[in-house]
Amino acid sequence: MTLLKAVRHALTELADPARAASMRSYMKSEMPFLGVTAVPRRAALRKVFAEHRLDSAPEWRRAVLALWREAEYREERYAAIELSAHRFYRSWQTLYTIPMYEEMVVTGAWWDLVDDIAVHRIGTLLRLYPESMRRLVLEWAHDPDLWKRRTAILCQNSFKDRTDVHLLYACIEPSLSDTDFFARKAIGWALREYAKTNPQEVLRYVKHQGISGLSRREALRNIPDA
């Protein structure tokens, strides 16, 4: 059995049609759900991935994209995201993965698919290849595609005191005039994460920049008396 078939079989075994409809409604998804929640899904996928080791980085990338492109249910796309981060393939997180992640961001085009890639895949690559990735992230920050811009804004969310604040602001600023909820939410979330390290700087920034009320509220949510 191929990896793709094994993933589908494992997820189908866990399907809960009674839960699927509410999951689809909550996520506003055109793609149907099987109704598999995160904990059993991850346990099943760990077993499948352990039983179907991939032998090369190109084979791994092809497998991720096959799961992604051929997905009939949203959980299959979640499986592609999990395969992209599996510990077996950690050494294959190189710049060669950028086209794969770019496709997933642009075609995923919703927060449940994009945000994990932004924070834990593009963010990881930014740590590993700061010069090359800085250029790429700045390009994405100016892209017409909302989800590439959101990815650029969020990619340092786990960096804490290693955050390149100049890069963060450079990624935020092209989207400051965007009225889209997901752009404004991303700006606020990114600033809120940095505020855990440097709240005074975030206070300064939101005071002097023309950010939306939503972004401001999100940014200051955890700062006392802000």
Side-chain angles (χ1 to χ4, degrees):
M1 187 183 293
T2 65
L3 173 60
L4 178 57
K5 288 182 179 178
V7 166
R8 284 181 169 165
H9 176 75
L11 293 174
T12 302
E13 288 285 297
L14 296 169
D16 182 351
R19 191 187 297 271
S22 61
M23 292 173 71
R24 184 177 185 179
S25 176
Y26 171 75
M27 204 54 67
K28 301 178 181 176
S29 174
E30 292 183 8
M31 185 178 288
F33 276 80
L34 286 164
V36 185
T37 56
V39 173
R41 183 188 77 233
R42 288 171 183 152
L45 291 174
R46 279 196 298 271
K47 186 172 185 293
V48 170
F49 295 160
E51 292 172 351
H52 294 79
R53 292 284 292 263
L54 302 168
D55 296 326
S56 69
E59 184 184 9
W60 164 68
R61 293 194 297 271
R62 286 193 298 269
V64 172
L65 287 175
L67 274 170
W68 186 266
R69 292 168 179 169
E70 298 175 32
E72 296 176 5
Y73 295 94
R74 204 164 187 92
E75 289 92 342
E76 293 170 21
R77 286 201 156 176
Y78 296 157
I81 293 171
E82 291 185 38
L83 180 60
S84 77
H86 198 278
R87 60 186 177 83
F88 292 162
Y89 314 118
R90 200 167 290 154
S91 65
W92 296 344
Q93 297 287 349
T94 69
L95 296 175
Y96 288 110
T97 63
I98 291 297
M100 175 176 78
Y101 292 136
E102 182 174 10
E103 177 178 333
M104 293 166 79
V105 165
V106 172
T107 59
W110 204 244
W111 64 268
D112 64 319
L113 301 174
V114 170
D115 291 358
D116 193 39
I117 296 169
V119 178
H120 299 296
R121 309 299 182 278
I122 300 302
T124 294
L125 292 172
L126 179 59
R127 281 199 190 101
L128 293 172
Y129 307 98
E131 286 191 26
S132 298
M133 286 302 297
R134 193 177 198 281
R135 290 193 296 271
L136 180 80
V137 166
L138 286 170
E139 285 179 20
W140 286 19
H142 289 84
D143 199 276
D145 185 88
L146 165 66
W147 299 97
K148 288 173 77 171
R149 286 186 283 113
R150 182 175 168 100
T151 297
I153 292 166
L154 298 179
C155 67
Q156 294 191 85
N157 266 21
S158 65
F159 281 30
K160 300 181 181 178
D161 60 355
R162 292 173 293 174
T163 299
D164 179 341
V165 69
H166 299 294
L167 177 61
L168 174 62
Y169 295 160
C171 289
I172 286 173
E173 281 158 19
S175 294
L176 284 174
S177 61
D178 194 332
T179 59
D180 188 276
F181 172 84
F182 289 103
R184 291 181 168 185
K185 192 82 168 180
I187 291 168
W189 182 18
L191 290 170
R192 185 171 76 247
E193 289 303 311
Y194 185 54
K196 294 175 183 177
T197 297
N198 194 340
Q200 292 306 312
E201 172 56 23
V202 171
L203 279 167
R204 183 204 65 79
Y205 184 77
V206 301
K207 182 178 179 181
H208 292 95
Q209 295 296 324
I211 74 171
S212 70
L214 172 60
S215 297
R216 184 186 303 272
R217 288 192 298 274
E218 287 292 318
L220 303 180
R221 184 189 294 179
N222 297 324
I223 301 178
D225 303 321

